[in-house]
């Protein structure tokens, strides 16, 4: 198993103590231990925490490779949206212990149907735009032991109305595989799809202009 997860000279290192391994190698050993039971499901809870970017990429690539080779399904628990985008097929977004949105990965990133998900995506820095101060969701997460009535996200939500503080939101089906916990899920989803189409239109026009300039240069 240690050979499978890429531990160099695995046979001679099988009796080593944890402090004799690097952080990345300890993570590989944990993955080997988990896979030694031949599980149908591997739950990876923040598998790249405290690892540098290079080692992080290696661990994620290892998980992806082992998934393909063993057929094991993987649940990846993480707060890193970059990891989510590159590793998953389907996403569940949770807040205060509740499922707030679930959808195929591409669908959720392009057309989020929940204000909390939109806030998370807005919080990711965009190196291609000069957006000034970085966006952050206002307020603080609630005490899950003493949740307020209505929607747990309402005190921090830019779309919240009176009903949000009074009634717990429904889990709305937006498409066959896309669901959102929000009183205004359909409105938020429609706006996101419109914004996606506008971005695609701008990108398409930019490509056409670039091609025209290349033709003129010739």
């Amino acid at each position: 198993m240690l050979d499978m997860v890429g531990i160099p000279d695995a046979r001679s290192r099988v009796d080593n103590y944890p402090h004799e391994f690097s952080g990345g190698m300890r993570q590989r050993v944990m993955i080997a231990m988990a896979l030694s039971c031949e599980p149908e499901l591997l739950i990876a809870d923040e598998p790249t925490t405290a690892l540098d970017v290079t080692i992080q990429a290696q661990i994620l690539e290892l998980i992806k490779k082992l998934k393909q080779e063993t057929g094991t399904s993987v649940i990846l628990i993480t707060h890193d949206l970059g990891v989510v985008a590159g590793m998953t097929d389907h996403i569940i977004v949770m807040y205060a212990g509740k499922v707030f949105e679930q959808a195929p990965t591409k669908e959720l990133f392009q057309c989020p149907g929940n204000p909390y998900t939109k806030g998370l995506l807005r919080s990711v820095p965009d190196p291609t735009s000069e957006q000034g101060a970085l966006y952050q969701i206002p307020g603080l997460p609630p005490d899950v032991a003493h949740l307020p009535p209505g929607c747990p996200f309402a005190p921090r939500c830019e779309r919240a109305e009176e009903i949000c503080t009074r009634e717990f939101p429904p889990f709305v089906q937006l498409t066959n595989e896309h669901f959102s916990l929000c009183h205004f899920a359909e409105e938020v989803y429609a706006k996101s799809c419109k914004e996606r189409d506008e971005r695609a239109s701008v990108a398409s026009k930019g490509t056409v202009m670039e091609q025209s300039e290349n033709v003129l240069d010739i």
Side-chain angles (χ1 to χ4, degrees):
M1 291 303 299
L2 294 181
D3 278 326
M4 180 184 290
V5 297
I7 298 293
D9 198 15
R11 287 188 177 277
S12 65
R13 304 207 63 178
V14 71
D15 292 321
N16 284 19
Y17 290 97
H19 71 270
E20 298 177 276
F21 291 89
S22 67
M25 291 175 73
R26 286 197 293 269
Q27 198 73 297
R28 289 172 184 268
V29 172
M30 288 297 296
I31 294 172
M33 291 171 63
L35 293 175
S36 64
C37 299
E38 300 182 354
E40 294 182 3
L41 175 65
L42 175 66
I43 301 176
D45 189 352
E46 298 285 2
T48 58
T49 297
L51 301 179
D52 64 50
V53 176
T54 303
I55 303 301
Q56 179 186 96
Q58 292 176 4
I59 294 299
L60 293 175
E61 191 58 37
L62 173 63
I63 293 174
K64 190 181 294 186
K65 174 174 172 283
L66 293 174
K67 177 181 179 296
Q68 294 171 345
E69 291 180 352
T70 65
T72 299
S73 298
V74 178
I75 292 178
L76 181 65
I77 302 171
T78 181
H79 65 279
D80 189 326
L81 292 177
V83 170
V84 169
M87 286 288 293
T88 63
D89 303 310
H90 200 91
I91 299 177
I92 291 179
V93 178
M94 298 191 68
Y95 180 81
K98 310 294 183 184
V99 174
F100 261 56
E101 187 164 9
Q102 69 179 67
T105 300
K106 185 177 180 180
E107 164 85 3
L108 186 135
F109 273 84
Q110 290 186 345
C111 290
N114 192 283
Y116 176 56
T117 307
K118 294 199 73 167
L120 290 177
L121 295 176
R122 281 184 64 190
S123 301
V124 178
D126 183 357
T128 64
S129 66
E130 298 180 6
Q131 58 187 22
L134 294 176
Y135 174 81
Q136 63 179 7
I137 299 174
L140 296 171
D143 178 356
V144 293
H146 302 91
L147 290 175
C151 177
F153 187 60
R156 309 177 66 191
C157 182
E158 297 179 353
R159 181 63 187 83
E161 294 189 10
E162 192 271 336
I163 190 175
C164 302
T165 62
R166 179 167 40 86
E167 297 181 14
F168 192 80
F171 201 46
V172 180
Q173 182 172 3
L174 300 170
T175 69
N176 287 340
E177 297 184 277
H178 195 164
F179 300 83
S180 174
L181 189 78
C182 181
H183 290 290
F184 307 104
E186 293 178 344
E187 174 191 319
V188 174
Y189 178 72
K191 184 177 180 181
S192 295
C193 291
K194 182 179 179 182
E195 291 170 350
R196 175 203 60 190
D197 295 340
E198 289 173 350
R199 290 193 301 268
S201 177
V202 170
S204 177
K205 289 178 181 178
T207 301
V208 171
M209 290 180 64
E210 184 177 336
Q211 291 174 344
S212 299
E213 290 174 357
N214 291 338
V215 170
L216 291 173
D217 288 340
I218 293 174

